[in-house]
Amino acid sequence: MSERLSVGDAAPEFTLPDADGKEVSLSDLRGRNVIVYFYPAAMTPGCTKQACDFRDSLDSLAAAGYAVLGISPDKPAKLQKFREHDGVTFPLLSDPDKEVLSAYGAFGEKTMYGKKVTGVIRSTFVVDGEGKIAVAQYNVKATGHVAKLRRDLGL
């Protein structure tokens, strides 16, 4: 199981391809607050609901100074279909080797339908402008999570 991150920790740096294969680095967004969320699989009901909630909140999050990045183990081609099918307007990044997922503690043992399995742990982080973890939330629910995050951020 990967080590979990806490508020104040340095956010693990990453560079991953987006849905178009273009590399996106966390360091490119230094100076801004960045919401980095990890989800199990594009085009599944819970992940679609969560992505659409972020999409629908994007204008107000951006107005408050937040960028959003979604990360899953999906390949760029699947992310491209997901983006186009659901009108996702923020970068979806591909981490098929699960290195970034693991660095953030978002991959490991979890309970699903009463069974212990190894997989993506739905998690959300806010990285501040200096690259430090400002919010670390593990095992979040797909439905209602964005609204709760907005409340936690005072938006």
Side-chain angles (χ1 to χ4, degrees), residues 126-146:
V126 176
V127 179
D128 69 18
E130 281 79 55
K132 299 267 189 234
I133 300 292
V135 173
Q137 299 177 336
Y138 290 93
N139 297 307
V140 302
K141 302 279 181 236
T143 302
H145 170 62
V146 175

Side-chain angles (χ1 to χ4, degrees), residues 30-89:
R30 193 72 75 235
R32 294 185 67 189
N33 293 312
V34 183
I35 297 168
V36 179
Y37 82 97
F38 296 91
Y39 62 98
M43 317 255 322
T44 58
C47 297
T48 298
K49 174 73 176 130
Q50 187 177 23
C52 290
D53 283 352
F54 272 116
R55 176 201 66 204
D56 295 346
S57 295
L58 202 57
D59 287 345
S60 63
L61 290 169
Y66 293 89
V68 176
L69 300 174
I71 301 176
S72 75
D74 298 304
K75 300 254 190 285
K78 187 173 181 189
L79 296 177
Q80 193 173 48
K81 284 182 189 160
F82 186 35
R83 179 186 67 196
E84 290 166 7
H85 184 267
D86 292 295
V88 177
T89 53

Side-chain angles (χ1 to χ4, degrees), residues 19-38:
D20 299 315
K22 181 177 143 276
E23 294 200 333
V24 175
S25 297
L26 182 60
S27 61
D28 294 343
L29 298 166
R30 193 72 75 235
R32 294 185 67 189
N33 293 312
V34 183
I35 297 168
V36 179
Y37 82 97
F38 296 91

Side-chain angles (χ1 to χ4, degrees), residues 57-124:
S57 295
L58 202 57
D59 287 345
S60 63
L61 290 169
Y66 293 89
V68 176
L69 300 174
I71 301 176
S72 75
D74 298 304
K75 300 254 190 285
K78 187 173 181 189
L79 296 177
Q80 193 173 48
K81 284 182 189 160
F82 186 35
R83 179 186 67 196
E84 290 166 7
H85 184 267
D86 292 295
V88 177
T89 53
F90 55 87
L92 297 173
L93 307 181
S94 172
D95 184 23
D97 298 331
K98 302 172 189 76
E99 288 177 16
V100 177
L101 282 148
S102 296
Y104 278 77
F107 186 82
E109 191 175 276
K110 63 181 183 175
T111 304
M112 210 166 135
Y113 306 112
K115 290 184 179 167
K116 294 251 185 242
V117 297
T118 299
V120 176
I121 299 163
R122 192 181 302 276
S123 307
T124 299

